Structure formats: structure tokens, C-alpha cells
Amino acid sequence: MDPYINNDLKDIEKAVGEFCEKEFDQEYLQNHEDEHKYPREFFQKIGELGFIGVGFSEDIGGAGYGALGHVVAVTEMCRRLPGLGMAMSLGYIPSFVVDISGTKEQREKYIRPLIEGRYVAAFSVTEPDAGSDIGILKTRMVEKDDYFVVNGSKIFTTNAGYADFYTLLTMDENSFTALLFDKAVIDDNGPKRFEINDLGRKMGINTTISGELVLSDFHIPKECVLGQRGKGKKAALAAFELSRIVIAGQAFGGMLYGYERAVDYAKKRKQFGSPIIKFQSMEHDLVDMYVEIEKCRNLLYKAAWLYDRKDPESNKYASMAKLTIPESAVAVLNRSIDVFGGYGYMRDQGLEGALRDIRITSIYEGTNKIQKNVIARMLY
């Protein structure tokens, strides 16, 4: 019995799993990786099936299951094929800042079509000289008549170039403001004011584009302020709390992928006349993985459960999940490759790709050191 996941969520988990088992394909993923291309058609499909909206509230077209809903859907997608599951969830995780801090009109304009799979989101915070320390952001906005003029650059923006809307954290005099704009605003500015530089191929998640945004006297209408002016840092941190839990779900799905592949292979692979799963050393390795998975499962679900209840402990548990689960996922995937031996090192098995993809989960949305800082502040 799972104390956190009710029968409705179990049904959703089953539906997502059955779809991914049928539709997700290793060759399809690798072709998109080679082309450095986002699988937009799949994103639209999971939107139409309601998988994007599981965690979003009902007032905007979602199913209303909150963080637990997001975790269940993302975990199951990544459990079936981490690279594709991560690409799908990265299409909408950047929208959390809009969903949490946006006005009713902003949420209706951007979140509803995103839930339906028609929009992809991007959230730009990191700069070339400002990663973990957002207090030294150099991208600035200056107020004019009925618009703001923005100058600066953002780096490592996921979905840059094909996102339908962007949220940008900027310095606004002595505070931070988040600005929300779409392709219409970009087009109205004309050439040279908003440029995107593709940063090229990465270690993993190469079905997504990580780009640098360069803004030169970029005009953004005043109605494009996300939520309240001067409250951008608060909006960003609120979004990070949820996204850290969901990204931990990506890593957890990757753990399950590696472990389940390893168990299946160990049952079929024979050496010295017996399936290798019968060897005590192999049993011990698999048991170690299983125990680690169950520890992470409970931490992940508790973090999501606390978030949905607005518990004061939520932020601490979000950082604990984000700190712990990615590290465990890398360890489990490494051990899964060992089970396969030389075959695990081959690209067509999918394990080496899963390991490269999952590695980023301990970096983006706050590195492990940042998570330790958050936890320490709440403990001491």
C-alpha cells in the first residue's frame, strides 16, 4: 500500500506507462538526438491525452493532482525512456513560474494551451556570470512610456528558439522583476533586438536546445510583467521549489529504467550454465539498487505530498529530494551498465544515453551545493 498515491493517480500512472511503452522508441529518440531536434509532435500528443495537465489545477484545464500528479506522470515517462521523458517534461516545467505567480489572464493565455500540448515554455534566469548567485544578474530593464527596455544576456535557456513564450528574470532598479512575453513581442521588435545562439550539443538531453538569449534594447510592453513588479525573485524561488521535486522525479524514473532493465537482463543472461541473477554477487547488487530506489521513492513522494499541503517543511524536502535522488540515479544507472557488461556500454541498449541524460538532474534548477545551503538554512 502506498500512503501517498491514491487509486486515481495509480490509474493515471498506468495510462502514462501504457502509452509510453507503446509509443516511446529508442531509435526515434536517437534520431532526434542526432538531429538536435525537439520531438514537438510527441509533446502535442501527451498534451492531447492529458498527461501534461495531471498536476495543473482544474481552473486552467488540468486534472488538479498537484505536485504528486506531476511526479507520477514525469516518473512514468522517464521510467519508460529517460531521454524522451525528460524532453517531454522539460517542455512544461519552465511554465511553473507562470502558473504559480501569473495573473488569471496570463495563466489563461499561456498555461491552458501548454497543457493542451500547443505551447512549449522557457524560463531564463542563468547568465554567463550569474548562475547560483542570482543576486548579481546584469540583465536590466528600464522603464519608458508604455514599455520596458531590456538589455543583457541569458544562458542555458532550455527550449530556446522553439518555445512559444519566455519568462525572463531581470534587475529592475534595486529589485527583481519577471517578464513574460511571446513570439508576437519578439516579432514586433524586429531583427537584432532578440537573438538566440544555440550552445551546441551537450553531454545529454540533446533532444532539447540550450540557448543563449541576447537582448539589445528589447522592448517589452508593461502588461508583460509576470505577477507583481519587484516580486520576480519570489516568483522564481516559488517555481524552483516545485520544479526541484519534479526534476527529482525525472531522476527517479531514470533509476527505475536502469534497475528494471538490469533485472530483466540478469534473468535472461546465462553464464556457467545459470542465469546470472542466481549468482549471489549479482543478487546483492540488485538488492542494493532496489533498497536505494525505495528510499528515494519515499523521499520523493513525501516532498510532493508536503508541497501540495503547503507544509512549512516542503522547501526543505524539495531540496532533500533534489540533492539525493539524482546522485542515487547516477549510481543505479552505473551499476545497471555493469550488469550488462560490454553490452551496457553500447548506444543501442539505451543505458549509456540514460546515464548521460540523467546526469543533468543534479545540476539544473540548483546544484547539489545550493540544495545543501537551502537545507542548512532550514535546519540551523
Side-chain angles (χ1 to χ4, degrees):
M1 179 179 176
D2 194 313
Y4 299 111
I5 306 300
N6 62 28
N7 289 334
D8 288 344
L9 282 173
K10 287 185 182 297
D11 289 341
I12 290 169
E13 181 181 64
K14 181 180 178 182
V16 174
E18 288 177 348
F19 167 80
C20 295
E21 188 70 28
K22 180 182 177 181
E23 299 288 340
F24 280 14
D25 178 78
Q26 180 72 29
E27 184 178 356
Y28 173 90
L29 171 64
Q30 290 177 347
N31 287 339
H32 277 66
E33 286 178 335
D34 292 342
E35 296 173 7
H36 204 196
K37 177 185 175 185
Y38 187 73
R40 185 83 185 226
E41 63 277 14
F42 251 121
F43 186 78
Q44 183 174 348
K45 190 175 290 188
I46 66 167
E48 292 170 351
L49 291 170
F51 299 158
I52 294 174
V54 174
F56 289 96
S57 58
E58 293 177 286
D59 71 306
I60 205 68
Y65 289 105
L68 274 170
H70 284 305
V71 164
V72 165
V74 170
T75 294
E76 199 62 21
M77 286 191 288
C78 292
R79 175 186 180 183
R80 303 298 173 170
L81 193 56
L84 204 47
M86 292 178 73
M88 294 300 95
S89 55
L90 288 171
Y92 63 86
I93 288 173
S95 75
F96 290 165
V97 65
V98 180
D99 188 47
I100 293 170
S101 299
T103 64
K104 180 180 178 181
E105 292 74 20
Q106 288 170 334
R107 293 175 69 242
E108 186 68 35
K109 182 176 181 179
Y110 295 110
I111 301 301
R112 187 178 293 276
L114 174 133
I115 289 172
E116 294 170 354
R118 295 186 289 116
Y119 278 8
V120 169
F123 184 22
S124 293
V125 177
T126 304
E127 297 183 359
D129 296 318
S132 299
D133 183 8
I134 65 173
I136 59 171
L137 294 181
K138 295 180 180 179
T139 299
R140 294 187 173 271
M141 53 185 278
V142 177
E143 185 174 3
K144 295 297 182 180
D145 297 330
D146 59 348
Y147 61 92
F148 301 107
V149 178
V150 182
N151 284 281
S153 64
K154 297 289 183 180
I155 202 166
F156 300 134
T157 297
T158 301
N159 304 327
Y162 54 88
D164 297 279
F165 62 94
Y166 295 80
T167 307
L168 194 74
L169 189 63
T170 67
M171 283 298 298
D172 179 10
E173 296 180 347
N174 295 318
S175 62
F176 297 90
T177 293
L179 299 173
L180 172 64
F181 58 93
D182 54 28
K183 291 180 178 179
V185 172
I186 296 172
D187 291 342
D188 287 345
N189 271 268
K192 302 299 182 183
R193 288 186 174 177
F194 184 87
E195 296 182 293
I196 297 174
N197 298 318
D198 185 352
L199 298 175
R201 296 184 63 82
K202 307 177 288 292
M203 178 179 177
I205 57 169
N206 279 304
T207 50
T208 66
I209 305 297
S210 295
E212 178 188 28
L213 310 184
V214 181
L215 302 99
S216 305
D217 291 334
F218 185 62
H219 292 190
I220 299 181
K222 286 187 175 179
E223 62 265 26
C224 290
V225 169
L226 175 66
Q228 292 180 279
R229 186 173 177 182
K231 302 293 184 181
K233 184 176 181 179
K234 182 179 179 181
L237 293 177
F240 288 158
E241 184 177 346
L242 176 57
S243 60
R244 283 168 181 168
I245 296 170
V246 180
I247 285 166
Q250 292 179 342
F252 184 62
M255 292 175 73
L256 294 173
Y257 173 83
Y259 170 74
E260 290 169 358
R261 294 284 312 280
V263 170
D264 184 62
Y265 183 79
K267 288 178 179 179
K268 296 176 181 177
R269 175 71 167 171
K270 290 187 176 182
Q271 291 286 280
F272 308 107
S274 298
I276 62 174
I277 200 168
K278 296 299 183 181
F279 300 159
Q280 189 179 69
S281 61
M282 182 62 64
E283 288 179 327
H284 288 183
D285 282 346
L286 293 172
V287 167
D288 285 344
M289 287 189 265
Y290 176 82
V291 172
E292 195 63 29
I293 284 169
E294 289 307 304
K295 287 161 53 180
C296 290
R297 185 194 307 276
N298 282 287
L299 179 58
L300 176 62
Y301 286 172
K302 183 173 182 178
W305 185 83
L306 290 171
Y307 180 90
D308 288 336
R309 280 151 186 78
K310 297 179 172 58
D311 191 285
E313 294 275 272
S314 169
N315 197 29
K316 181 177 72 177
Y317 272 85
S319 286
M320 287 168 62
K322 177 66 168 60
L323 168 66
T324 303
I325 299 174
E327 290 185 346
S328 295
V330 168
V332 167
L333 282 163
N334 264 319
R335 295 183 82 165
S336 300
I337 291 172
D338 287 341
V339 171
F340 277 73
Y343 291 109
Y345 203 65
M346 305 303 291
R347 188 186 185 201
D348 61 1
Q349 288 292 343
L351 288 168
E352 63 84 30
L355 178 60
R356 289 187 291 102
D357 292 331
I358 290 297
R359 182 62 181 84
I360 189 63
T361 59
S362 64
I363 299 173
Y364 60 16
E365 229 70 0
T367 65
N368 287 359
K369 299 297 185 184
I370 291 298
Q371 306 316 316
K372 289 181 180 180
N373 289 346
V374 172
I375 296 164
R377 283 197 298 269
M378 296 192 72
L379 287 176
Y380 314 118

